[in-house]
C-alpha cells in the first residue's frame, strides 16, 4: 500500500491483509474506472487504493451516473471513526457476498438489531430470480446483485426498453451488443417519436424487415405473394439472413416479435426496481421505493448524517483535484509557450533540434504510434505517468491562416529502425503575438475532426513500412464489406501483402479469414486469383506460417454450405502442397481431402479433390501411405460422377504410379493388386459386375504409360543414353493420344528428345540383342501378359462392354510398347492358345477357345493396332479361319459375331469385313455359306447404302438361290434388316421381290423353318420398316400365314407358327394401322390366331381376345368420329372463341400470380 494511504476501516491486522485488499481493489476496478484513475495522475486521492475507501467498486466519483457514493466512506476520513453496520452490509451486497450478508442479517436478528437494508434485500424475491453465481469481478460489466437481469444496464423505463432483446435468441454474446445497439437505438428513437416526426427507414432496416416479411409470407402459405415480393426486391437474397448485412443473429419471426412486444410493457412497469438492482444508499436523496419502510427517527437521522458526511468528503476530494489540475494546466501552458518561442527562434531546426524532454519516447517508439506523422499535433507522454494530451497546433494554425501548399509537418517522429527521417518541410512563422488559446479557438472553425475511428486514421500518416501494415490491418476489415462483390478480387493483393507483413498474428489471421470469405460464391477466375495469392503468400512466409495460418482457414470451410467455397478449399490443398511441411502433407492435408472425397455431394468439389490428391501424391514421401493412396484410387474410380473418374485417370493415377515407380512396387504390388481384383470378379457367385470390371481395367489402361517408362528406365541400354542429334524423331502416331500430359511417356521420362533416344535403343535391343537381364520386360512377357490373356478367356463373349474394354486395353498396350514387341511377344502368345491349324479343323475338343472372348479381343485389340497391308491381310486371314473353323465344327458363332460387331463400329474396316464375308459366300461348304449369310445381318446396320447396294445385296441374292435350303433361309434376317435400315426404293423393291418369292413360290409352301424365320423377321423389323412395306406386304402375308396355320395338321408345327405369329402381332399392334387394313387383314389374322390358341394355349387366347376387342372398339370409334365430323368442326370453333376470351382475360392481369385464383372464382 502506498505511503500516506488512509484505511477508513482501520481493521487490518497486518500489512499482508492490506496488500490483499489492494489486489482485490485492482481486480474489481472496471476499465472505465482505470481510465479515469489514470487521468488524475499523481493528484488522484490516495484513498482510492483501498477497496473500502469509497465502498463502491464501480464508481470513483459522484459524477458517475449522478449517483452518490456509499455513506460508509464518510466514516473513513478519520482513523478513529467506527464503520457503521449498514455500510458493511451495503459493501457485502455490492460485492455479491450474499451468504456473508445473510449470516450477518441472521446474527443481527438474533441480537435484536435488524438492519432495514438487509431485511429489504432478502425479502425481495426479485433479487434471486436469475442468480447465476457471478463473481464480484463481473460487476465491471455492469452485472447487478441479481445477476444479468435482461442486460438492462441502467434504470429501464417503458420508452427505453428494447423489445427485440427479449426474444427467442436469449442473452447474446457481448460482441453482438455493439451491432445490436446500432439498430436498437434508432428503434427506440422511432418508438418515442410521433409518426409525423419519425425518421425515414434506413437501408439495413428495410432489408431486415423485408426478410422477416418474406419469411412470414412463406410460413403462412402466401407463396404467390412471396414470389411477387421477392421479384420486387430482386437485389436481396431471401434465403440467407447474412445477405441483409447486419452482424447479428437472425431475430425471431414477426409473430414472435409481435407477441413479445405486446406482453412486455406491463412486466417492466411493475418490476422496474428488480431490473435496476441498485442499492438505496447509491440513489439520490429524493429517491423513494415502492414499499416504504418504517424506520425509527434515530436510524433515519443517522443515515442522513452519514450521507451528508459522505458528500462533504467527496466535495473536498474534488476541490483538491480541481486545484491540482489547474496547476498542471498552468505548467503545461508555460511549457507550450516556451516551445513556441524555441521554434520561432530556430525556424530551420529539424527533428534533431527538438528537446529530449519534449518527447522522451523518441528513442524507443511504440509499435502503433511511434511511426506516424501526426497532423493533429498531439504529444503523447509516457504511459507510466498520467495520460495527458495537449494541443500543439500552432504550426497548423499558421499553415491554415496563410494557405500554405505544403503537405507535411515540421515535426516527424523517428522510424522504428532508428534511422533519421528526412528533413521536415519548413513553415513561415507569423510575426504575431496571439495567444495559443486564441490560435486553437481559431483553428476550431476549420472543421477538422479526429474523434471517430476514420478520423483517427486520417489524422496520422504512416511514415514506415511497418506503420503502413498496421494501418492496413486496421482499415481493411472496414473497407472490404463496402466494396462491390463483383470487384472484391481487386482487394486480394492488398489483403495478402498486409497479411504477409503484419507483425500481429491475430491481425494476420483476421486478414486471411477475410481473404477466404471475400466473395460469397467465387467463380473460376476469382478462385484462381485467390489461389495465386495463397501460393505467393506461401512462397513469401515459408512452411511454418502456411501450416499455422493458411491451413486453419481451409479447415474452417471444409463443410461450407456453398460448393464454390468448398471447391476453393479443395483447390487450395493442392496448390499449397509444395509449400507445406512434409509431415502435414501426408497427414492433415491427406485426411482433409479424403474426408471431402467421401462426404462431399458436389461433383465439381470431388473432382478438385481428386486433382489435389494427385498433387499430394507427387510430393508425398512416406512409404506407409501407399495403402491409403491405393484405397483413394479405388474410391475415386468408383465415384458415380464421370468428371471425377476422368480426373482420376488424368491426374491421380499417373501421380500415384510415379510414386509407386520410385517405391519400386508398380510391378510388384499395384498392377498385381488390380489383376487379383479382376480375377475375383470373374469368380463371383452372383455374376460379373461389369462396372467394377471397367473400373479396374481402365485403371490398368492408365498405368500402361508408366509401365512402359519403367521398362525404358530399367533397360540394359540406359547407361548408354546420350542425347545426339542424329536420332530420328518420334513419329506422331507412335503412341496413342494420352488422356493428359501426365500420361505422356515423354513427360514421364523427362523430354521428347530423351524419349527418342530411348526408343531407338529399345527397338534395337528387342530386334538384335534380346531381353536377357531385362527384368522389368521379362515380368511383362512372362507374368503380366499370360495372366491378362487368361482373364480374357474367362469373360463372357456376349458382353459387348467387356469385349470392348479389353480390346481397347490390348490396343493401347500394343501401340505403347511398339510393333516389334507386339509381333514378337504378344501375337505369339495368342496364336499359341488359339491354334488355328488345318489339322485341328475337325477336332472339336481342341477348339473350345475359339468360342471365348479371346477371338474378338485378339482380332480387334491386337491385329488392328497397326494398319499396314500385311497387318490387314493377317486380320482377314484370321477372321476367315475362325469363320471356317466354327462353321465346320458346328460351334456357336458368338465369338465371330462379337468380332464383327466391334470391327463394324469403325467404318474403316467395312471393306475388310465384306471381303471376309465374300470368302464365305463362295466357300464350298454350305455351313460356311450359312455363317456368312448370318453375319450379313450384323454388318448391314453400320454399312452405308452404297456398299449395301454394291456388295451386300448381290451377295445375299446369290445366297438366296443357293442349292441348300438352309443357306436360303439364313438370308432372310439380313433381307429384313435391309428393309428396316435402307431408304433407297430400288433396293427395297429388290428385297421385297426376294421375300415375296420365298412366300409365294410353291416349293416353299411346306418349308416350316422358312415360315418361322419369315414370321420372326416380320415381327422384328415390322414396327421400324417403311409404312408402305408394312401395310402392303407384312400384314397381308401374316394374315395368309395365320389362315394357313389353322389348317396345319402337325400340332408341333402349328404351335410353333402360332407362337411366332403371336409375337409378331403383339409387336405390330403398337403401330398405326388404317381402318381398311384393320378390318381386312389385322383383325381377321388375330381371329385366325385366336382359333389356334383356343386349342393349343388358352392363356394366349385370353390376351388375343382382349386385343381383338380393343381393335374393334377403335374401328367403332372411328366410324362414330366420322359421323360427328360436322359437330366437331363447330365445337372446335366454339373452343377457339373460348380460348381467345380466356387469353384476353389472362392478359388483363397486371399483378403477379397471386391474383390468378380470382380468374377462376364463380360469380356471386
Amino acid at each position: 500500500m502506498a505511503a500516506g494511504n488512509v484505511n477508513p476501516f482501520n481493521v487490518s491486522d497486518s500489512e499482508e491483509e492490506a496488500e490483499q485488499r489492494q489486489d482485490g481493489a485492482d481486480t474489481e476496478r472496471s476499465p472505465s474506472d482505470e481510465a479515469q484513475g489514470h487521468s488524475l495522475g499523481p493528484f488522484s486521492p490516495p484513498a482510492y487504493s483501498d477497496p473500502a475507501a469509497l465502498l463502491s467498486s464501480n464508481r470513483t466519483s459522484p459524477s458517475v451516473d449522478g449517483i452518490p457514493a456509499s455513506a460508509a466512506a464518510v466514516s473513513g476520513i478519520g482513523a478513529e471513526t467506527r464503520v457503521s453496520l449498514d455500510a458493511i452490509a451495503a459493501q457485502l451486497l455490492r460485492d455479491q457476498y450474499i451468504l456473508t450478508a445473510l449470516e450477518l442479517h441472521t446474527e443481527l436478528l438474533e441480537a435484536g438489531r435488524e438492519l432495514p437494508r438487509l431485511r429489504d434485500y432478502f425479502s425481495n424475491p426479485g433479487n434471486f430470480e436469475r442468480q447465476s453465481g457471478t463473481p464480484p469481478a463481473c460487476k465491471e460489466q455492469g452485472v447487478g446483485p441479481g445477476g444479468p437481469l435482461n442486460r438492462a444496464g441502467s434504470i429501464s423505463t417503458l420508452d427505453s426498453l428494447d423489445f427485440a432483446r427479449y426474444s427467442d435468441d436469449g442473452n447474446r454474446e457481448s460482441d453482438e451488443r455493439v451491432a445490436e445497439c446500432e439498430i436498437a437505438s434508432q428503434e427506440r428513437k422511432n418508438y418515442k417519436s410521433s409518426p409525423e416526426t419519425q425518421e425515414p427507414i434506413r437501408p439495413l432496416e428495410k432489408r431486415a424487415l423485408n426478410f422477416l416479411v418474406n419469411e412470414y409470407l412463406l410460413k403462412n402459405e402466401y407463396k404467390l405473394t412471396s414470389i411477387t415480393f421477392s421479384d420486387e426486391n430482386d437485389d436481396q437474397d431471401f434465403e440467407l439472413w447474412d445477405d441483409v448485412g447486419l452482424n447479428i443473429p437472425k431475430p425471431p419471426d414477426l409473430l414472435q416479435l409481435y407477441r413479445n412486444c405486446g406482453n412486455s410493457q406491463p412486466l417492466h412497469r411493475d418490476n422496474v426496481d428488480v431490473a435496476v438492482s441498485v442499492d438505496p444508499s447509491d440513489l439520490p436523496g429524493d429517491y423513494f421505493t415502492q414499499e416504504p419502510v418504517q424506520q425509527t427517527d434515530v436510524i433515519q437521522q443517522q443515515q442522513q448524517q452519514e450521507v451528508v458526511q459522505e458528500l462533504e468528503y467527496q466535495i473536498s476530494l474534488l476541490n483538491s483535484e480541481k486545484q491540482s489540475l489547474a496547476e498542471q494546466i498552468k505548467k503545461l501552458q508555460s511549457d507550450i509557450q516556451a516551445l513556441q518561442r524555441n521554434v520561432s527562434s530556430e525556424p530551420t531546426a529539424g527533428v534533431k533540434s527538438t528537446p529530449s524532454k519534449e518527447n522522451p519516447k523518441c528513442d524507443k517508439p511504440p509499435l502503433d504510434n511511434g511511426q506516424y506523422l501526426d497532423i493533429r499535433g498531439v504529444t503523447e507522454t509516457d504511459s507510466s505517468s498520467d495520460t495527458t494530451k495537449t494541443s500543439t497546433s500552432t504550426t497548423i494554425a499558421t499553415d491554415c491562416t496563410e494557405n500554405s501548399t505544403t503537405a507535411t509537418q515540421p515535426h516527424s517522429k523517428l522510424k522504428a529502425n532508428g534511422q533519421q527521417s528526412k528533413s521536415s518541410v519548413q513553415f513561415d512563422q507569423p510575426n504575431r503575438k496571439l495567444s495559443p488559446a486564441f490560435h486553437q479557438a481559431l483553428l476550431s472553425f476549420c472543421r477538422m475532426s479526429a474523434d471517430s475511428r476514420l478520423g483517427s486514421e486520417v489524422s496520422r500518416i504512416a511514415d514506415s513500412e511497418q506503420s503502413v501494415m498496421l494501418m492496413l490491418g486496421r482499415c481493411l476489415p472496414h473497407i472490404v464489406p463496402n466494396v462491390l462483390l463483383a470487384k472484391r478480387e481487386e482487394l486480394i493483393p492488398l489483403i495478402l501483402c498486409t497479411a504477409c507483413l503484419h507483425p500481429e498474428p491475430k491481425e494476420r489471421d483476421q486478414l486471411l479469414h477475410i481473404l477466404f470469405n471475400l466473395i460469397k460464391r467465387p467463380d473460376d477466375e476469382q478462385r484462381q486469383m485467390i489461389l495465386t495469392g495463397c501460393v505467393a503468400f506461401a512462397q513469401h512466409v515459408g512452411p511454418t506460417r502456411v501450416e499455422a495460418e493458411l491451413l486453419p482457414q481451409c479447415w474452417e470451410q471444409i463443410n461450407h454450405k456453398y460448393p464454390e467455397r468448398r471447391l476453393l478449399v479443395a483447390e487450395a490443398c493442392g496448390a499449397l502442397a509444395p509449400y507445406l511441411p512434409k509431415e502435414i502433407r501426408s497427414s492433415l492435408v491427406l485426411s482433409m481431402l479424403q474426408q471431402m472425397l467421401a462426404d462431399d455431394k458436389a461433383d465439381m468439389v470431388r473432382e478438385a479433390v481428386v486433382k489435389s490428391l494427385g498433387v499430394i501424391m507427387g510430393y508425398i514421401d512416406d512409404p506407409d501411405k501407399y495403402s491409403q493412396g491405393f484405397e483413394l484410387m479405388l474410391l475415386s474410380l468408383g465415384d458415380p460422377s464421370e468428371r471425377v473418374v476422368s480426373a482420376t485417370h488424368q491426374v491421380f493415377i499417373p501421380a500415384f504410379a510415379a510414386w509407386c515407380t520410385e517405391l519400386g512396387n508398380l510391378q510388384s504390388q499395384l498392377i498385381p493388386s488390380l489383376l487379383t481384383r479382376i480375377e475375383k470378379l470373374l469368380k463371383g457367385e452372383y455374376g460379373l459386375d461389369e462396372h467394377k470390371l471397367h473400373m479396374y481395367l481402365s485403371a490398368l489402361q492408365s498405368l500402361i504409360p508408366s509401365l512402359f517408362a519403367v521398362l525404358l528406365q530399367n533397360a540394359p541400354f540406359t547407361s548408354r543414353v546420350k542425347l545426339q542429334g542424329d536420332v530420328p524423331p518420334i513419329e506422331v502416331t507412335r503412341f496413342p493420344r494420352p488422356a493428359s500430359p501426365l500420361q505422356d511417356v515423354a513427360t514421364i521420362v523427362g523430354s521428347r528428345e530423351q524419349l527418342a533416344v530411348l526408343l531407338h535403343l529399345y527397338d534395337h535391343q528387342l530386334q538384335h540383342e534380346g531381353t536377357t537381364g531385362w527384368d522389368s520386360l521379362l515380368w511383362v512377357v512372362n507374368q503380366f501378359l499370360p495372366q491378362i490373356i487368361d482373364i480374357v478367356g474367362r469373360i463372357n463373349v456376349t458382353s459387348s462392354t467387356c469385349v470392348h474394354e479389353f480390346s481397347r486395353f490390348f490396343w493401347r498396350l500394343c501401340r505403347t510398347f511398339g510393333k516389334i514387341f507386339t509381333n514378337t511377344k504378344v501375337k505369339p502368345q495368342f496364336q499359341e492358345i488359339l491354334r488355328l491349324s488345318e489339322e485341328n479343323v475337325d477336332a472339336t475338343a481342341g477348339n473350345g477357345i475359339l468360342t471365348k472372348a479371346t477371338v474378338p479381343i485378339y482380332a480387334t485389340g491386337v491385329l488392328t493396332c497397326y494398319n499396314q497391308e500385311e497387318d490387314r491381310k493377317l486380320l482377314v486371314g484370321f477372321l476367315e479361319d475362325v469363320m471356317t473353323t466354327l462353321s465346320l465344327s458346328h460351334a456357336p458363332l458368338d465369338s465371330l459375331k462379337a468380332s464383327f460387331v466391334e470391327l463394324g463400329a469403325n467404318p474403316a474396316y467395312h471393306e475388310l469385313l465384306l471381303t471376309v464375308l465374300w470368302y464365305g459366300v463362295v466357300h464350298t461348304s454350305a455351313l460356311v455359306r450359312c455363317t456368312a449369310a448370318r453375319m450379313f445381318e450384323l454388318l448391314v446396320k453400320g454399312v452405308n447404302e452404297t456398299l449395301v447396294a454394291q456388295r451386300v445385296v448381290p451377295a445375299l441374292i446369290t445366297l438366296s438361290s443357293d442349292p441348300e435350303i438352309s443357306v436360303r433361309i439364313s438370308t432372310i434376317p439380313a433381307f429384313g434388316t435391309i428393309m428396316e435400315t435402307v431408304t433407297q426404293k430400288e433396293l427395297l423393291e429388290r428385297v421385297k421381290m426376294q421375300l415375296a418369292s420365298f412366300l409365294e413360290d410353291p416349293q416353299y409352301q411346306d418349308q416350316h423353318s422358312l415360315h418361322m424365320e419369315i414370321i420372326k423377321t416380320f415381327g422384328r423389323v415390322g414396327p421400324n420398316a417403311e409404312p408402305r412395306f408394312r401395310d402392303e406386304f407384312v400384314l397381308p402375308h401374316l394374315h395368309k400365314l395365320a389362315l394357313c396355320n389353322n389348317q396345319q395338321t402337325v400340332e408341333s408345327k402349328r404351335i410353333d407358327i402360332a407362337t411366332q405369329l403371336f409375337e409378331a402381332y403383339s409387336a405390330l399392334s403398337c403401330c398405326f394401322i388404317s381402318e381398311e387394313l384393320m378390318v381386312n387383314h389385322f383383325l381377321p389374322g388375330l381371329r385366325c390366331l385366336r382359333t389356334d390358341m383356343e386349342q393349343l394355349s388358352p392363356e394366349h387366347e385370353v390376351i388375343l381376345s382382349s386385343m381383338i376387342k380393343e381393335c374393334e372398339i377403335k374401328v367403332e370409334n372411328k366410324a362414330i368420329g366420322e359421323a360427328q365430323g360436322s359437330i366437331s368442326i363447330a365445337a372446335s370453333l366454339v373452343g377457339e372463341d373460348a380460348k381467345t376470351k380466356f387469353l384476353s382475360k389472362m392478359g388483363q392481369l397486371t399483378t403477379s400470380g397471386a391474383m390468378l385464383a380470382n380468374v377462376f372464382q364463380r360469380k356471386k
Side-chain angles (χ1 to χ4, degrees), residues 834-988:
L834 294 173
R835 294 192 300 273
L836 292 173
S837 59
E838 292 294 334
E839 295 81 16
N840 295 330
V841 171
D842 296 329
T844 58
N847 290 318
I849 191 66
L850 295 181
T851 62
K852 304 296 183 180
T854 311
V855 170
I857 291 173
Y858 175 60
T860 61
V862 178
L863 298 180
T864 61
C865 60
Y866 296 101
N867 202 22
Q868 297 181 1
E869 186 63 28
E870 61 272 13
D871 301 310
R872 296 177 69 88
K873 287 182 180 180
L874 184 61
L875 176 60
V876 170
F878 174 74
L879 293 176
E880 291 175 352
D881 293 341
V882 170
M883 183 171 62
T884 303
T885 305
L886 293 178
S887 301
L888 297 179
S889 303
H890 298 280
L893 302 176
D894 293 333
S895 59
L896 186 62
K897 289 180 180 179
S899 303
F900 270 73
V901 170
E902 187 71 20
L903 292 171
N906 189 352
Y909 295 105
H910 287 172
E911 285 281 358
L912 184 144
L913 294 176
L914 288 172
T915 302
V916 174
L917 291 181
W918 186 254
Y919 167 81
V921 170
V922 298
H923 200 277
T924 57
S925 173
L927 296 174
V928 178
R929 295 198 299 272
C930 286
T931 301
R934 297 283 181 186
M935 293 299 108
F936 273 114
E937 178 188 358
L938 301 174
L939 193 59
V940 166
K941 293 183 179 180
V943 177
N944 61 65
E945 295 187 3
T946 303
L947 282 177
V948 172
Q950 296 177 358
R951 304 285 298 274
V952 177
V953 173
L956 287 175
I957 293 177
T958 302
L959 292 174
S960 65
S961 60
D962 194 270
E964 293 291 335
I965 187 66
S966 61
V967 177
R968 282 176 267 174
I969 294 173
S970 300
T971 61
I972 293 175
F975 281 124
T977 304
I978 293 175
M979 296 298 300
E980 185 181 15
T981 57
V982 175
T983 59
Q984 292 183 15
K985 292 184 178 181
E986 295 80 3
L987 282 178
L988 294 178

Side-chain angles (χ1 to χ4, degrees), residues 932-1056:
R934 297 283 181 186
M935 293 299 108
F936 273 114
E937 178 188 358
L938 301 174
L939 193 59
V940 166
K941 293 183 179 180
V943 177
N944 61 65
E945 295 187 3
T946 303
L947 282 177
V948 172
Q950 296 177 358
R951 304 285 298 274
V952 177
V953 173
L956 287 175
I957 293 177
T958 302
L959 292 174
S960 65
S961 60
D962 194 270
E964 293 291 335
I965 187 66
S966 61
V967 177
R968 282 176 267 174
I969 294 173
S970 300
T971 61
I972 293 175
F975 281 124
T977 304
I978 293 175
M979 296 298 300
E980 185 181 15
T981 57
V982 175
T983 59
Q984 292 183 15
K985 292 184 178 181
E986 295 80 3
L987 282 178
L988 294 178
E989 288 297 327
R990 294 174 65 183
V991 174
K992 183 179 177 182
M993 290 174 59
Q994 185 61 46
L995 291 175
S997 68
F998 287 145
L999 292 168
E1000 298 171 2
D1001 195 329
Q1003 64 175 331
Y1004 300 116
Q1005 289 183 359
D1006 297 331
Q1007 291 295 329
H1008 177 74
S1009 299
L1010 185 141
H1011 293 162
M1012 287 280 292
E1013 195 67 50
I1014 286 180
I1015 295 172
K1016 183 179 179 180
T1017 301
F1018 282 172
R1020 177 173 56 86
V1021 304
N1024 301 321
E1026 186 184 11
R1028 182 181 174 186
F1029 172 73
R1030 180 175 62 242
D1031 297 342
E1032 296 179 1
F1033 189 81
V1034 175
L1035 291 177
H1037 283 91
L1038 284 178
H1039 180 201
K1040 291 178 182 180
L1041 291 170
L1043 187 61
C1044 294
N1045 197 48
N1046 291 149
Q1047 303 173 3
Q1048 178 63 255
T1049 57
V1050 182
E1051 185 175 348
S1052 61
K1053 293 182 178 180
R1054 187 179 180 186
I1055 188 61
D1056 291 342

Side-chain angles (χ1 to χ4, degrees), residues 170-338:
N171 289 335
R172 297 172 187 155
E173 298 297 332
S174 59
D175 57 349
E176 298 172 359
R177 297 179 184 177
V178 178
E180 188 178 299
C181 291
E182 295 177 0
I183 301 178
S185 61
Q186 183 62 31
E187 290 178 353
R188 288 195 292 271
K189 291 180 181 178
N190 296 339
Y191 180 77
K192 292 188 288 186
S193 60
S194 62
E196 292 79 6
T197 61
Q198 196 171 22
E199 296 184 10
I201 188 171
R202 295 183 178 182
L204 289 179
E205 294 173 339
K206 180 179 178 181
R207 293 175 68 88
L209 290 175
N210 286 349
F211 183 89
L212 296 176
V213 169
N214 183 74
E215 182 184 40
Y216 167 78
L217 293 174
L218 289 176
K219 286 184 177 179
N220 293 273
E221 300 299 330
Y222 297 113
K223 294 183 178 179
L224 294 177
T225 307
S226 173
I227 293 173
T228 307
F229 188 71
S230 301
D231 294 338
E232 293 175 349
N233 297 274
D234 55 355
D235 60 336
Q236 186 172 351
D237 185 1
F238 288 106
E239 296 181 0
L240 297 172
W241 168 254
D242 295 339
D243 187 69
V244 173
L246 297 174
N247 58 340
I248 61 174
K250 186 181 84 63
D253 55 19
L254 287 179
L255 179 61
Q256 189 67 30
L257 290 176
Y258 171 76
R259 289 175 177 172
N260 291 339
C261 181
N263 295 334
S264 59
Q265 294 182 6
L267 176 65
H268 296 287
R269 184 181 298 114
D270 296 338
N271 299 299
V272 171
D273 57 333
V274 176
V276 173
S277 183
V278 184
D279 290 334
S281 62
D282 295 338
L283 298 176
D286 57 351
Y287 177 81
F288 61 92
T289 60
Q290 292 183 356
E291 298 181 1
V293 182
Q294 299 297 331
Q295 299 179 350
T296 61
D297 295 340
V298 177
I299 296 176
Q300 290 179 351
Q301 292 177 359
Q302 181 180 0
Q303 291 180 351
Q304 291 175 358
Q305 291 176 358
E306 291 176 350
V307 170
V308 171
Q309 292 175 356
E310 177 185 4
L311 294 177
E312 290 176 351
Y313 175 67
Q314 294 290 344
I315 291 172
S316 62
L317 290 178
L318 293 176
N319 287 333
S320 60
E321 180 180 348
K322 178 181 177 182
Q323 294 176 359
S324 301
L325 291 175
E327 294 176 359
Q328 186 176 5
I329 291 173
K330 291 180 180 179
K331 181 177 180 300
L332 292 174
Q333 286 179 347
S334 62
D335 293 342
I336 291 172
Q337 293 176 357

Side-chain angles (χ1 to χ4, degrees), residues 465-522:
E465 294 83 355
Q466 189 174 21
S467 59
V468 171
M469 292 300 105
L470 294 172
M471 180 271 295
L472 289 175
R474 293 189 302 268
C475 294
L476 277 174
H478 301 279
I479 295 173
V480 171
N482 298 296
V483 179
L484 293 175
L485 287 174
K487 296 295 182 182
R488 284 192 179 178
E489 62 267 21
E490 301 292 338
L491 294 172
I492 295 176
L494 204 58
I495 295 174
L496 283 169
C497 182
T498 308
C500 282
L501 302 177
H502 202 285
E504 295 295 333
K506 186 176 181 181
E507 294 295 328
R508 296 198 301 267
D509 181 73
Q510 181 183 9
L511 290 169
L512 292 176
H513 181 76
I514 292 174
L515 175 66
F516 275 82
N517 294 272
L518 190 63
I519 303 168
K520 184 165 63 175
R521 307 184 76 161

Side-chain angles (χ1 to χ4, degrees), residues 301-417:
Q301 292 177 359
Q302 181 180 0
Q303 291 180 351
Q304 291 175 358
Q305 291 176 358
E306 291 176 350
V307 170
V308 171
Q309 292 175 356
E310 177 185 4
L311 294 177
E312 290 176 351
Y313 175 67
Q314 294 290 344
I315 291 172
S316 62
L317 290 178
L318 293 176
N319 287 333
S320 60
E321 180 180 348
K322 178 181 177 182
Q323 294 176 359
S324 301
L325 291 175
E327 294 176 359
Q328 186 176 5
I329 291 173
K330 291 180 180 179
K331 181 177 180 300
L332 292 174
Q333 286 179 347
S334 62
D335 293 342
I336 291 172
Q337 293 176 357
L339 291 174
Q340 289 175 350
R341 286 193 296 271
N342 294 336
V343 170
S344 60
S345 61
E346 300 178 6
T348 59
V351 177
K352 60 183 180 180
S353 65
T354 305
S356 59
K357 66 178 181 180
E358 176 188 351
N359 190 3
K361 294 178 64 177
C362 287
D363 294 336
K364 297 180 67 174
L367 185 62
D368 192 24
N369 298 328
Q371 300 173 356
Y372 293 93
L373 295 175
D374 198 340
I375 67 171
R376 295 175 296 179
V378 177
T379 302
E380 299 180 2
T381 59
D382 193 346
S383 60
S384 61
S385 64
D386 300 333
T387 307
T388 306
K389 299 182 180 180
T390 58
S391 174
T392 57
S393 305
T394 305
T395 57
I396 303 178
T398 306
D399 181 33
C400 297
T401 305
E402 300 191 5
N403 299 322
S404 175
T405 59
T406 57
T408 58
Q409 294 296 323
H411 297 283
S412 61
K413 296 183 179 181
L414 296 178
K415 296 184 179 180
N417 56 10

